[in-house]
Amino acid sequence: MLVQILSAVYRLIMQGIDLYRIALVVYFLLSWMPGGYQSKLGQFLIRICEPYVGIFRQFVPPIGMISLAGIVAFFALTFIEYGVTAVFQLIFNLLI
């Protein structure tokens, strides 16, 4: 019973990370479109993506006119996903 609940929580977290990764990609692509951030979708993505990407803008300086903070934020999300997977694998191994 507990394993099934943890498995469902794990799948929910992984789906959330995947959805956020898609939101980040769309957020980054909107920067290439004139007025992309002024649309309703753009405003929504600014509210959910900018706080996360903003953390990396503090530490990753731009190179000329190009900010690499988005790329670093995207890869950091991948490492977070690996960490969540490792934690759940450890928990599953302890329970089984």
Side-chain angles (χ1 to χ4, degrees):
M1 177 74 171
L2 182 60
V3 173
Q4 292 172 343
I5 293 171
L6 286 174
S7 179
V9 169
Y10 172 73
R11 284 193 307 272
L12 184 65
I13 291 171
M14 288 297 112
Q15 288 175 352
I17 290 173
D18 287 340
L19 284 173
Y20 198 72
R21 185 178 287 125
I22 291 168
L24 283 174
V25 169
V26 173
Y27 174 70
F28 300 144
L29 290 176
L30 281 178
S31 70
W32 294 355
M33 298 178 192
Y37 289 138
Q38 282 71 37
S39 67
K40 288 188 181 205
L41 175 65
Q43 291 298 312
F44 174 72
L45 290 175
I46 285 174
R47 278 185 277 150
I48 65 169
C49 294
E50 187 57 35
Y52 176 68
V53 176
I55 294 169
F56 296 95
R57 282 201 181 103
Q58 296 174 0
F59 303 108
V60 181
I63 297 175
M65 299 279 297
I66 299 172
S67 173
L68 298 177
I71 295 170
V72 174
F74 189 82
F75 285 120
L77 190 60
T78 302
F79 289 126
I80 291 169
E81 182 178 31
Y82 292 153
V84 169
T85 300
V87 167
F88 273 91
Q89 283 180 348
L90 177 67
I91 292 170
F92 288 140
N93 288 336
L94 290 174
L95 291 176
I96 295 176

